[in-house]
Amino acid sequence: MRFSLFLLLSSVLAHASEPASGFRPDKLGEMDAAVERTISEGKIPGGVLWLETRNGRHSKAFGQRAVVPAREEMTVDTVFDAASLTKVVATTTAVMKLHEGGKIDLEEKLVSYLPEMGEGGKAAITVRQLLTHTSGLRAGISSRGDWSGLAGALGEIRKEEPTDVPGGAYRYSDINFILLGAIVERVTGEGLEVFCAREIFTPLGMTRSGYLPKVAADTAPTEKLADGTVLRGVVHDPTARKMGGVAGHAGLFTTAEDLAKFSRMMLSGGGTILKPETVRLMTSVQTPDWLPRRGLGWDIDSPYTGLRGNLLPIGGYGHTGWTGTSLWIDPFSRTFIIFLSNRNHPSGGNSLLLQRELGTLAAQAVADYNFLYVPDALPVDPKKNLPPAVAPVPVLNGIDVLEREGFARLKGMKIGLVTNHTGQDRGRKSTIDLLHKADGVELKVLFSPEHGIRGEQDHEKITDTKDQGTGLPVKSLYGKTRSPLPADLEGLDALVFDIQDIGCRFYTYISTMANCIEQAGKSKLKFIVLDRVNPIGPAVEGPVLTEERSFIATHEIPVRHGMTVGELALMINGERKSGAEVEVVKCEGAGLQWYDRCGLPWRNPSPNMRSLEAATLYPGVGLLEFCDISVGRGTDAPFSLVGAPYVDELKFAGELTRAGLPGVGFVPVRYTPVASVFKGKECGGVRIQITNRDAFRSVDLGVVMASAFHRLYGKQAGISKILKLTGDRPTVDAILAGKSLDEIRVAWEPGLRAFSAVRAPYLLYPR
């Protein structure tokens, strides 16, 4: 009986909230309710919340620590896989500790510490750039292959090349922190886990924190693998796991109480382990003013700071972890909020919206601080969306490379050219003219896609014609037929493709290419792609096509596919087994980045695609094209204006603003299209303003707008018609059922993971 009573009291104490003077009880109740609601929705199995300010502390456990193979109740002392919190709690602190001791110089080059990293353009990268995620390196390395350990990871990184000028762009990257962890080991001559335990965790009394934990009953499990294994006490991140569990980017295990000890150290100016000036350096803005605001390791004001909520002032600092962990420290009110969950257990969930909500409620819960007036806070950054103040990296498209080579690859060939007005070199010379005049190349016939050979027709059918400049026949691929006729290919050795795509599945130029590849395979022709930059970069968004293929849904790819036309050609040919001999004349330079960073001339790819901003918006706004909605065609701002005659612009703009999408704002407007949908009718709606394109997710915007139209205007909007362009019935059903963006995005993840695996062998450029 005594033992049973002891267990009962232990359970109560494990879940009990600490004294909460200094907090508003009603707001603490709302925080608890938000966590419980997220658990009831199946997004996380459980979690631990810890909110602390000068005059109080609120700590509480919720839900289950484990659900398979057996259910276990969550406790406040649960040990969690911290995931990317490792970057700031362990690695950044270790680097700065060594910086204090004069052993690591922030301005020193990476190669000074890791000489083997002097290849492939990495020699210019500094330690500071690694800490601020401005090295230009990709987000991560593949966990596939037969490499292992830190040495194996470094071997993979040696093959990497920066895709941006070091210091010129921001990209959150695990590679940066793998390298930083390696630097710590190289400088100290001991394992990262040993150094962190001795210099950080032990002095702070973080007795439950470290790498390679002994598996205990209070360790939260994470993912259930395909073979049925449930990871417990083993790092979830596959790259860190392959490195043996010790890495600069992931691998730390910790508890809420230990993170609270660490947070108090930071708020106290470093305590016994760091100097106050070091903490100030780490937690103040260290990035150039055209980039998201980051400290050293710590996030301050970037696309990933949603956990700050709507009220905590800009100038605090924090970080999140993929497993569902988060920490935000507000130095102004001396408040910190910790939320730890194992959202991946047993098979994936999402806690992003909860983290944002908890951040807002945390500020509301602190009773003795006015978060609406914080004189020392940073202002909202008006320059987030400016391009970098460095010269663009000159990029050569495929036609430029071919021209530089003297057209040698085409010598002796009779060719057909699939192109339009966007087929041009850096000097705006037409690909048609260049190939027509090239020595040893016999250009026999031209093929034109939608909008015609000169790109001047909108949605009309295109007829066969003759090119005025060369006198060559122009065969339409957007008229009676959308594939080259066998008769038109007779006597040719190759089809050459040179058209500027914009990176969206339902933009039909890639459908034309797919049809040409198929016909080239049947006619035993070589298919040569003059590759071009994807103007909206390598980001991937939205559902993968699950409906039947069509001319606006040419292949099983996401709405925003993040590939070049050359990569798509290789994938489409390979996956469909079209049998064409596909050759890609690759871009040279940093081809997978925003178009305005490539130093290339812009030419409108189609009549309504008039700017890079329009192309950025199109994968989302374009989803509404078949609905009873104006997307700005017939105005001076296609895809930036969205509305309808039945829309109350103030109400609609407010609805979209409340969604809290990062990187975008909405201005209520009225406008009258002179063509297309609602021609001559005044529409209420919004003008969309991109404020931070690196944070902006265009397909998210499309889903939120579709949901708002359906919620506010029902059948008038005809939202069910988005099926043709989303290409995924579950997405449409979820929108019509009123599901949240968070729920819809989670449903996309399996398809996106499968797509990532399928496309991997066909990629030509670093990611």
Side-chain angles (χ1 to χ4, degrees):
M1 181 66 178
R2 287 181 180 176
F3 183 68
S4 298
L5 181 60
F6 172 77
L7 288 178
L8 176 62
L9 287 171
S10 298
S11 177
V12 169
L13 288 171
H15 285 74
S17 175
E18 295 289 343
S21 60
F23 293 121
R24 295 184 175 91
D26 59 328
K27 292 301 176 181
L28 293 181
E30 288 184 41
M31 295 181 78
D32 295 352
V35 179
E36 290 164 350
R37 183 188 68 247
T38 304
I39 294 170
S40 69
E41 292 171 348
K43 295 176 181 177
I44 57 174
V48 174
L49 172 65
W50 190 297
L51 175 64
E52 186 167 320
T53 190
R54 293 168 295 182
N55 300 318
R57 184 169 84 211
H58 175 68
S59 55
K60 192 172 182 179
F62 303 83
Q64 305 296 310
R65 176 161 54 219
V67 295
V68 295
R71 297 179 71 83
E72 300 174 23
E73 197 170 11
M74 186 70 75
T75 59
V76 173
D77 60 354
T78 294
V79 177
F80 289 87
D81 179 342
S84 285
L85 288 186
T86 305
K87 292 180 172 74
V88 288
V89 175
T91 309
T92 298
T93 310
V95 169
M96 298 309 293
K97 182 82 175 169
L98 292 166
H99 172 65
E100 282 186 352
K103 296 181 178 180
I104 292 180
D105 185 341
L106 300 182
E107 311 310 326
E108 191 59 77
K109 299 292 193 294
L110 164 65
V111 292
S112 297
Y113 303 102
L114 302 175
E116 66 269 34
M117 293 300 157
E119 305 169 358
K122 296 186 289 295
I125 297 171
T126 66
V127 174
R128 176 185 293 276
Q129 290 162 355
L130 295 174
L131 284 164
T132 56
H133 293 290
T134 58
S135 68
L137 293 169
R138 292 192 309 146
I141 57 174
S142 174
S143 58
R144 298 181 179 184
D146 58 1
W147 67 268
S148 64
L150 175 59
L154 293 178
E156 293 297 301
I157 296 172
R158 284 185 67 178
K159 305 172 189 175
E160 297 286 328
E161 297 181 7
T163 59
D164 294 286
V165 175
Y170 165 73
R171 180 186 296 109
Y172 180 81
S173 171
D174 286 346
I175 293 177
N176 292 331
F177 275 75
I178 294 173
L179 290 170
L180 288 166
I183 290 173
V184 171
E185 296 205 358
R186 203 67 69 85
V187 167
T188 63
E190 58 188 353
L192 178 64
E193 77 281 14
V194 175
F195 182 83
C196 290
R198 185 183 66 248
E199 300 294 334
I200 304 169
F201 307 140
T202 299
L204 292 177
M206 297 171 65
T207 58
R208 306 298 307 282
S209 297
Y211 290 92
L212 305 172
K214 294 180 180 178
V215 180
D218 58 2
T219 303
T222 54
E223 188 175 6
K224 183 179 180 181
L225 302 179
D227 63 2
T229 303
V230 177
L231 296 177
R232 191 164 198 166
V234 177
V235 62
H236 175 267
D237 180 87
T239 303
R241 196 158 66 242
K242 199 156 186 177
M243 292 174 65
V246 178
H249 72 291
L252 175 66
F253 285 75
T254 190
T255 66
E257 183 176 13
D258 275 5
L259 287 178
K261 293 174 181 177
F262 184 88
S263 301
R264 291 179 205 126
M265 176 274 292
M266 294 293 290
L267 286 173
S268 71
T272 60
I273 68 167
L274 292 173
K275 298 176 182 177
E277 55 267 32
T278 302
V279 173
R280 286 194 295 271
L281 181 65
M282 294 162 66
T283 60
S284 59
V285 176
Q286 300 295 317
T287 44
D289 61 4
W290 66 81
L291 296 179
R293 292 184 280 196
R294 302 273 311 199
L296 299 177
W298 292 93
D299 201 349
I300 295 172
D301 186 27
S302 86
Y304 301 98
T305 50
L307 72 162
R308 191 180 70 228
N310 299 326
L311 292 175
L312 290 171
I314 302 174
Y317 49 93
H319 216 280
T320 59
W322 177 255
T323 50
T325 58
S326 61
L327 165 64
W328 191 264
I329 300 174
D330 179 56
F332 308 107
S333 63
R334 302 187 66 77
T335 299
F336 58 86
I337 178 171
I338 299 163
F339 184 72
L340 304 179
S341 74
N342 52 337
R343 72 174 184 90
N344 302 100
H345 181 71
S347 57
N350 200 307
S351 57
L352 294 177
L353 292 182
L354 174 61
Q355 291 170 353
R356 180 188 295 272
E357 186 175 3
L358 291 176
T360 299
L361 288 169
Q364 294 173 336
V366 176
D368 58 354
Y369 194 84
N370 180 9
F371 285 98
L372 298 178
Y373 179 68
V374 184
D376 295 329
L378 296 175
V380 174
D381 188 354
K383 300 185 292 300
K384 281 185 179 178
N385 201 41
L386 292 180
V390 294
V393 178
V395 171
L396 299 181
N397 279 323
I399 181 59
D400 300 298
V401 175
L402 192 68
E403 189 178 8
R404 186 193 65 200
E405 296 173 349
F407 305 98
R409 305 188 199 206
L410 303 183
K411 289 290 175 70
M413 286 189 180
K414 296 177 181 179
I415 63 171
L417 175 62
V418 187
T419 193
N420 63 4
H421 61 295
T422 66
Q424 62 177 20
D425 69 1
R426 287 178 56 84
R428 295 190 182 274
K429 289 179 287 187
S430 165
T431 301
I432 297 173
D433 295 336
L434 289 168
L435 295 185
H436 186 249
K437 296 174 182 177
D439 290 338
V441 180
E442 194 172 347
L443 180 58
K444 302 287 290 183
V445 60
L446 305 175
F447 297 91
S448 68
E450 184 180 2
H451 308 299
I453 199 76
R454 299 298 175 188
E456 296 168 348
Q457 296 164 270
D458 198 359
H459 285 303
E460 304 97 322
K461 298 294 184 184
I462 309 299
T463 58
D464 292 351
T465 184
K466 181 179 288 189
D467 180 56
Q468 293 181 352
T470 63
L472 291 169
V474 180
K475 301 295 182 178
S476 171
L477 301 182
Y478 196 74
K480 293 180 180 179
T481 179
R482 296 191 177 179
S483 294
L485 297 175
D488 295 329
L489 301 178
E490 286 182 7
L492 298 183
D493 300 304
L495 269 180
V496 177
F497 183 92
D498 187 21
I499 300 178
Q500 178 66 62
D501 181 43
I502 64 156
C504 178
R505 183 179 67 213
F506 44 80
Y507 205 60
T508 63
Y509 295 156
I510 60 174
S511 302
T512 296
M513 182 178 71
N515 290 347
C516 290
I517 290 171
E518 183 178 3
Q519 194 58 53
K522 291 177 181 177
S523 299
K524 307 302 180 185
L525 297 182
K526 195 167 188 177
F527 190 83
I528 301 171
V529 181
L530 306 184
D531 211 2
R532 287 188 171 270
V533 169
N534 181 329
I536 59 175
V540 175
E541 289 186 69
V544 173
L545 177 68
T546 57
E547 292 288 293
E548 186 177 350
R549 292 175 187 162
S550 70
F551 198 64
I552 53 174
T554 190
H555 197 72
E556 290 72 22
I557 57 178
V559 173
R560 183 178 176 187
H561 51 72
M563 300 174 73
T564 67
V565 288
E567 292 172 327
L568 283 168
L570 292 170
M571 184 174 72
I572 289 170
N573 185 56
E575 295 304 307
R576 296 189 186 184
K577 301 185 178 359
S578 297
E581 182 187 347
V582 175
E583 178 182 345
V584 179
V585 182
K586 292 172 58 177
C587 300
E588 292 185 6
L592 285 170
Q593 58 180 320
W594 291 104
Y595 194 87
D596 57 7
R597 294 180 182 171
C598 297
L600 291 167
W602 175 268
R603 190 161 188 183
N604 295 347
S606 56
N608 283 285
M609 197 61 61
R610 302 175 190 171
S611 66
L612 179 55
E613 182 170 78
T616 305
L617 290 166
Y618 185 68
V621 175
L623 291 174
L624 307 175
E625 285 255 42
F626 293 164
C627 303
D628 298 319
I629 295 167
S630 163
V631 295
R633 291 183 184 269
T635 75
D636 62 354
F639 313 118
S640 292
L641 291 171
V642 177
Y646 52 79
V647 167
D648 177 331
E649 68 270 24
L650 293 173
K651 185 176 182 180
F652 188 57
E655 190 81 0
L656 297 178
T657 300
R658 277 190 291 277
L661 294 174
V664 65
F666 307 95
V667 179
V669 296
R670 298 196 72 80
Y671 64 95
T672 303
V674 298
S676 193
V677 179
F678 301 128
K679 175 182 177 180
K681 296 182 180 179
E682 187 180 46
C683 297
V686 295
R687 181 181 284 269
I688 305 165
Q689 306 280 356
I690 298 177
T691 58
N692 182 348
R693 67 186 183 186
D694 292 314
F696 173 61
R697 307 282 293 180
S698 56
V699 182
D700 285 2
L701 171 64
V703 169
V704 166
M705 294 185 82
S707 298
F709 269 113
H710 184 67
R711 187 164 55 250
L712 295 175
Y713 304 109
K715 293 182 178 179
Q716 281 182 288
I719 292 301
S720 61
K721 299 174 186 176
I722 67 172
L723 178 59
K724 291 182 180 180
L725 296 175
T726 60
D728 182 60
R729 189 171 297 276
T731 296
V732 180
D733 291 343
I735 291 170
L736 297 178
K739 291 192 176 181
S740 69
L741 172 62
D742 202 33
E743 293 171 305
I744 293 170
R745 288 187 66 183
V746 167
W748 297 339
E749 288 182 3
L752 290 172
R753 285 197 297 269
F755 166 72
S756 179
V758 168
R759 77 170 187 165
Y762 306 108
L763 297 180
L764 299 173
Y765 310 97
R767 258 73 176 173

